[in-house]
Amino acid sequence: MKKTQGHVKPRQQGGAIKGELYGYSAQLAAMVEQYSDATLLEYCEHWATTHNNWVSTSTMCRALQKQKLTVKKDVTQQPRKNRKSPKVD
């Protein structure tokens, strides 16, 4: 660096990388409000069909957590026959 710039000072570091869902806060909030009982995978599938952009469940989870839109599902409200219980051997 000294030969090309005349000094050895460090360069300025780049900015943060924006996520794939950055800037879609209104659309994410509307989706969560409309489909409040959906799973992360269902949110990803809905996003892919409406925005032609598939995102992973991890990406969707991080985006929803940043906006504090996480909703815990109440499995006790599901009918007993639909609930899956862990197998104990």
Side-chain angles (χ1 to χ4, degrees), residues 21-35:
L21 298 176
Y22 179 79
Y24 289 103
S25 59
Q27 291 91 337
L28 286 172
M31 179 181 67
V32 171
E33 185 177 336
Q34 185 177 5
Y35 303 105

Side-chain angles (χ1 to χ4, degrees), residues 3-86:
K3 288 183 183 181
T4 58
Q5 296 180 353
H7 59 81
V8 290
K9 294 179 186 174
R11 293 182 182 174
Q12 182 179 6
Q13 297 207 354
I17 298 173
K18 306 289 186 211
E20 289 185 54
L21 298 176
Y22 179 79
Y24 289 103
S25 59
Q27 291 91 337
L28 286 172
M31 179 181 67
V32 171
E33 185 177 336
Q34 185 177 5
Y35 303 105
S36 60
D37 60 341
T39 63
L40 280 175
L41 184 59
E42 291 170 339
Y43 284 144
C44 293
E45 290 171 349
H46 176 73
W47 192 263
T49 57
T50 57
H51 292 86
N52 295 324
N53 182 19
W54 175 263
V55 294
S56 67
T57 54
S58 300
T59 302
M60 184 63 70
C61 183
R62 284 191 303 269
L64 294 176
Q65 284 176 342
K66 284 180 185 177
Q67 295 184 17
K68 298 181 180 167
L69 293 174
T70 56
V71 178
K72 298 291 182 189
K73 307 297 179 242
D74 188 7
V75 294
T76 60
Q77 298 299 322
Q78 294 178 358
R80 182 64 135 157
K81 63 182 178 179
N82 292 342
R83 267 191 273 162
K84 293 182 181 177
S85 60

